[in-house]
Amino acid sequence: MATVRPDSRSEMLRDGLRQTVDHLKQRRADLIDAGVIADYVALNWLEWHGGSLRLTIVGGNVCKQMAPAPTN
């Protein structure tokens, strides 16, 4: 069984965060692996709220960091 280095795991999570947020907006959390959800919660990028998942301020900031810079 291959182990994933912590830095590559966090890169994978960062890369997949936008798609995860899209799934949550579409109310399709069932498409997100339970292990990935646990990792996002541990990183404080997602949180449980009333039985559903939502993006935290930290998670929102991560998304903003990944957004393309506006062109002038």
Side-chain angles (χ1 to χ4, degrees):
M1 182 169 124
T3 56
V4 178
R5 292 187 357 234
D7 58 334
S8 62
R9 177 69 173 169
S10 62
E11 288 173 18
M12 190 246 357
L13 291 168
R14 181 182 298 269
D15 291 343
L17 185 58
R18 280 202 187 277
Q19 184 176 18
T20 297
V21 171
D22 288 343
H23 289 323
L24 294 177
K25 287 179 181 177
Q26 297 168 2
R27 300 189 178 276
R28 292 301 313 264
D30 61 307
L31 299 176
I32 309 166
D33 183 80
V36 171
I37 291 173
D39 288 345
Y40 284 136
V41 170
L43 288 168
N44 194 32
W45 293 0
L46 294 179
E47 65 183 356
W48 288 103
H49 181 72
S52 62
L53 284 167
R54 70 177 180 186
L55 192 64
T56 64
I57 293 172
V58 175
N61 288 339
V62 172
C63 285
K64 287 176 188 172
Q65 291 171 358
M66 296 183 321
T71 57
N72 292 328

